[in-house]
């Protein structure tokens, strides 16, 4: 096995071990979307009707509609959690260990990204199984078909987290990320309501939702859960992932980005 | 002789905005011994270590590790370097062995090699039997030893220790200093040890570089530094070279 793959294996193992040791993080990752699914969705079921629209072939319950959005939510929050832990690692110094490895820095960041994606996928499958236990079911094969979509969406949202971690100077600034990044991404998307409903309310909001990369990630997951392929959603998700990762690599370059700015401010 | 040196620093300058952290710094670290980089807080020691670890853009001047220029071939230089940072960098919730395995993977070590090296380094640093303990359960001295064991997993030729004894009690500090000196003696490792504590220097064997206000004030064997400072012991020499009444740079030091 090449040194690059050995590093990938090691970094994934580290993230999984850290995740396993942080049981509260696992519970938190599951409780949040489950409350949305079992409480919020139940309350809004009567208020929000969902007409027949692709990939659905018949009327569906609101719980089924928001299921892919909540899967996206798990990955979004996991991406932000990874970002938070990278800012913490950088402040505590352990990020230095990663960045002084003799492997290319961009590869180390990709390894970190893949590791975070693996952890998010574990959370997603746990969530989907619990949802099934409550009778909120998608086609059985969809659980397998959604895996590539989860990898793509997890990479995109993880890359966004990496980019944010390269730009955030201090841990204290992280609350701003929730207000200015996570909430707008989640609410200005098709996670909770179909975009046609948003268009009825506001064309501008609809347009914002339509270009939101999180919308495309959710739609990619939604179609994959029903064994359908959404090429446009995949294309936009991968494009967003590449752009976010590219800027994150620049951000972690000692000659540019935060590392240089931190040095200048020290 | 710098041709056979593990680390050669020439004409290195670095500034944080208008404030100079290093000005035209030059010295070398020979193989098989400890070079103590002495200086008061704010002298520029940690900046020098950060640059040598490749974490900042290479400034004017050169840093060469075993013949590899840090600016031109940072990965080759880092492959030969072990680093213990001033701040603790272990994963507290992982065990000692898990920490070492993750680090070994960052250097591309295969699993069998990793297990063999881990046993070897843990034994060398008297940590055998602690491999399965979580780092969180270890005291400060043992955590530092784990960090040193980790830095040695890929068998580097140069070990950078940035104020590695900060926060440790006196017996633990002494034991750690003895460990590192034994390492250099037994393995031929070159060690650059930054500290502001004079008693961590072994006057009989160590080389000393005194850094103050961004410049090298003296460099050489302890006897050379004493001569340059006109002092009879290292503590006095250090005070003279770095105190408020520090004399201007001598020609020899420059």
């Amino acid at each position: 096995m090449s040194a690059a793959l050995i590093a990938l294996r090691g970094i994934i193992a580290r993230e999984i071990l850290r995740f396993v040791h942080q049981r509260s993080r696992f519970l938190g990752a599951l409780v949040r979307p489950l409350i949305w699914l079992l409480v919020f969705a139940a309350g809004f079921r009567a208020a929000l009707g969902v007409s027949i629209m692709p990939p659905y072939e018949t009327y569906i319950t609101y719980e089924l509609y928001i299921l892919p959005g909540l899967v996206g939510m798990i990955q979004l929050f996991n991406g932000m959690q990874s970002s938070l832990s990278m800012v913490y690692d950088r402040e505590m110094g352990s990020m230095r260990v990663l960045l002084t490895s003799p492997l290319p820095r961009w590869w180390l960041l990709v390894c970190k990204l893949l590791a975070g994606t693996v952890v998010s996928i574990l959370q997603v499958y746990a969530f989907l199984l619990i949802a099934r236990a409550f009778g909120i079911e998608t086609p059985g094969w969809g659980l397998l078909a959604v895996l590539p979509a989860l990898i793509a969406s997890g990479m995109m949202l993880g890359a966004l987290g990496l980019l944010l971690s390269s730009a955030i100077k201090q841990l204290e600034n992280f609350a701003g990320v929730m207000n200015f990044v996570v909430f707008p991404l989640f609410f200005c998307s098709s996670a909770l309501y179909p975009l046609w409903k948003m268009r009825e309310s506001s064309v501008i909001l609809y347009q914002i939702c339509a270009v939101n990369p999180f919308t495309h990630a959710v739609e990619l997951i939604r179609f994959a859960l029903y064994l359908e392929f959404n090429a446009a959603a995949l294309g936009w998700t991968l494009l967003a992932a590449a752009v976010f990762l590219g800027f994150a690599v620049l951000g972690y370059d000692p000659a540019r980005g935060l590392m240089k700015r931190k040095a200048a401010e020290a | 002789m710098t041709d056979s040196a593990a680390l050669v620093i020439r004409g290195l300058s670095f500034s944080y905005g208008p404030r100079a952290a290093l000005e035209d710094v030059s010295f070398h670290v020979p193989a098989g011994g400890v070079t103590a980089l002495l200086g008061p807080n704010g002298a520029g020691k940690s900046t020098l270590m950060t640059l040598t670890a490749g974490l900042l853009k290479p400034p004017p001047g050169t840093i060469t590790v075993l013949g590899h220029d840090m600016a031109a071939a940072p990965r080759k230089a880092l492959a030969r370097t072990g680093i213990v940072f001033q701040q603790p960098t272990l994963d507290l919730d992982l065990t000692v062995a898990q920490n070492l395995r993750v680090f070994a993977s960052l250097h591309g070590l295969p699993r069998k090699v990793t297990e063999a090296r881990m046993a070897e380094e843990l034994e060398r640093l008297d940590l055998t039997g602690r491999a399965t303990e979580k780092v969180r359960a270890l005291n400060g001295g043992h955590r530092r030893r784990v960090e040193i064991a980790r830095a040695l997993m890929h068998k580097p030729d140069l070990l950078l220790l940035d104020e590695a004894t900060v926060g440790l009690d006196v017996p633990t500090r002494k034991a750690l200093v003895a460990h590192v000196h034994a390492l250099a003696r037994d393995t031929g490792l070159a060690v650059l040890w930054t500290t502001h504590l004079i008693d961590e220097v072994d006057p009989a064997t160590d080389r000393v570089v005194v850094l103050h206000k961004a410049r090298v004030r003296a460099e050489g064997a302890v006897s050379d530094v004493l001569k340059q400072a006109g002092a009879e012991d290292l503590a006095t020499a250090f005070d003279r070279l770095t105190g408020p009444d520090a004399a201007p740079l001598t020609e020899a030091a420059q």
Side-chain angles (χ1 to χ4, degrees):
Chain A
M1 196 185 286
S2 73
L5 290 178
I6 290 173
L8 174 63
R9 188 184 66 193
I11 292 172
I12 290 177
R14 173 188 186 249
E15 291 303 316
I16 291 176
L17 282 169
R18 275 164 59 113
F19 181 68
V20 168
H21 286 303
Q22 296 169 348
R23 288 189 188 89
S24 58
R25 181 179 158 193
F26 183 55
L27 284 176
L30 289 180
V31 165
R32 192 183 305 112
L34 284 172
I35 287 175
W36 278 86
L37 186 67
L38 303 175
V39 181
F40 176 89
F44 275 77
R45 188 178 199 174
L48 292 171
V50 180
S51 63
I52 298 173
M53 53 178 273
Y56 308 113
E57 292 171 350
T58 181
Y59 289 100
I60 53 160
T61 62
Y62 186 56
E63 286 94 330
L64 264 183
Y65 177 78
I66 68 166
L67 191 72
L70 297 178
V71 167
M73 177 203 242
I74 291 172
Q75 292 197 299
L76 176 63
F77 274 85
N78 186 75
M80 295 309 118
Q81 178 81 36
S82 297
S83 169
L84 182 69
S85 83
M86 283 187 82
V87 175
Y88 178 80
D89 282 355
R90 199 180 58 219
E91 286 205 347
M92 298 310 290
S94 49
M95 191 68 189
R96 291 176 162 216
V97 175
L98 184 75
L99 297 178
T100 50
S101 157
L103 292 166
R105 197 158 288 178
W106 67 265
W107 175 248
L108 295 168
L109 292 174
V110 168
C111 290
K112 191 88 176 151
L113 186 56
L114 285 168
T117 303
V118 168
V119 169
S120 79
I121 289 173
L122 294 176
Q123 295 171 22
V124 165
Y125 275 108
F127 169 73
L128 287 174
L129 291 176
I130 295 171
R132 285 182 93 80
F134 281 93
I136 302 161
E137 291 184 33
T138 53
W141 286 107
L143 291 180
L144 193 61
V146 79
L147 182 60
L150 291 175
I151 294 171
S153 56
M155 292 281 283
M156 188 271 282
L157 295 167
L160 176 62
L162 266 183
L163 173 60
L164 290 171
S165 75
S166 74
I168 294 168
K169 291 178 187 172
Q170 294 166 329
L171 215 51
E172 290 76 14
N173 298 347
F174 219 83
V177 171
M178 296 300 287
N179 292 329
F180 292 105
V181 179
V182 175
F183 292 148
L185 273 179
F186 184 64
F187 289 111
C188 293
S189 76
S190 59
L192 299 179
Y193 16 74
L195 291 193
W196 62 264
K197 268 190 178 288
M198 189 61 94
R199 188 165 46 194
E200 285 178 354
S201 304
S202 162
V203 174
I204 292 175
L205 270 179
Y206 163 76
Q207 288 167 340
I208 291 171
C209 293
V211 297
N212 179 355
F214 186 66
T215 294
H216 296 292
V218 169
E219 291 311 304
L220 182 65
I221 294 165
R222 189 188 309 282
F223 276 71
L225 277 171
Y226 285 84
L227 301 161
E228 289 195 32
F229 177 58
N230 187 330
L234 177 65
W236 285 112
T237 302
L238 292 179
L239 178 66
V243 170
F244 293 152
L245 181 61
F247 279 110
V249 170
L250 286 179
Y252 277 98
D253 184 335
R256 301 184 181 88
L258 184 76
M259 295 180 73
K260 187 185 179 190
R261 293 201 297 278
K262 277 182 89 74
E265 289 158 9
Chain B
M1 287 290 288
T2 58
D3 290 346
S4 60
L7 172 67
V8 180
I9 290 176
R10 282 205 183 106
L12 195 67
S13 297
F14 190 82
S15 58
Y16 295 114
R19 187 171 62 83
L22 297 170
E23 280 185 80
D24 196 21
V25 168
S26 299
F27 65 91
H28 71 277
V29 177
V34 174
T35 297
L37 181 62
L38 289 172
N41 292 333
K45 304 186 299 292
S46 288
T47 300
L48 188 80
M49 285 300 207
T50 308
L51 286 166
T52 310
L55 288 169
L56 289 171
K57 187 191 178 189
T62 57
I63 300 170
T64 311
V65 178
L66 280 302
H68 302 296
D69 184 348
M70 183 52 86
R75 287 161 51 195
K76 285 183 178 170
L78 287 171
R80 312 280 298 269
T81 309
I83 308 168
V84 177
F85 293 103
Q86 186 175 349
Q87 287 175 305
T89 56
L90 295 167
D91 275 317
L92 298 182
D93 289 320
L94 267 56
T95 66
V96 170
Q98 286 166 345
N99 267 283
L100 298 188
R101 284 189 194 115
V102 170
F103 179 83
S105 76
L106 294 177
H107 282 263
L109 298 185
R111 200 168 277 170
K112 274 187 179 174
V113 176
T114 297
E115 297 304 314
R117 297 260 178 96
M118 188 160 67
E120 186 184 330
E121 296 306 333
L122 290 179
E123 187 182 353
R124 195 203 306 273
L125 286 149
D126 289 340
L127 288 165
T128 307
R130 315 300 291 261
T132 55
E133 286 185 36
K134 276 191 182 180
V135 169
R136 195 179 288 282
L138 302 180
N139 63 35
H142 281 118
R143 287 183 192 185
R144 272 303 187 196
R145 283 197 219 173
V146 174
E147 289 196 286
I148 294 173
R150 185 180 64 176
L152 296 172
M153 285 288 287
H154 59 298
K155 292 218 179 294
D157 299 290
L158 171 67
L159 179 64
L160 305 176
L161 294 156
D162 189 6
E163 310 238 14
T165 56
V166 164
L168 301 182
D169 59 38
V170 175
T172 309
R173 197 159 63 82
K174 281 185 176 171
L176 198 63
V177 171
H179 268 300
V180 172
H181 279 86
L183 260 177
R185 192 178 54 243
D186 299 343
T187 65
L189 187 69
V191 178
L192 178 61
W193 175 295
T194 75
T195 181
H196 57 271
L197 301 169
I198 303 296
D199 63 346
E200 291 183 355
V201 178
D202 182 344
T205 59
D206 292 357
R207 292 185 82 257
V208 172
V209 178
V210 180
L211 195 64
H212 181 50
K213 290 186 177 171
R215 284 178 168 267
V216 172
R217 300 283 156 167
E219 185 204 350
V222 171
S223 57
D224 296 334
V225 171
L226 296 183
K227 206 179 291 175
Q228 286 170 48
E232 290 190 356
D233 59 79
L234 197 55
T236 310
F238 185 70
D239 284 345
R240 285 191 185 162
L241 291 164
T242 64
D245 302 325
L249 287 176
T250 62
E251 202 171 298
Q254 286 183 71

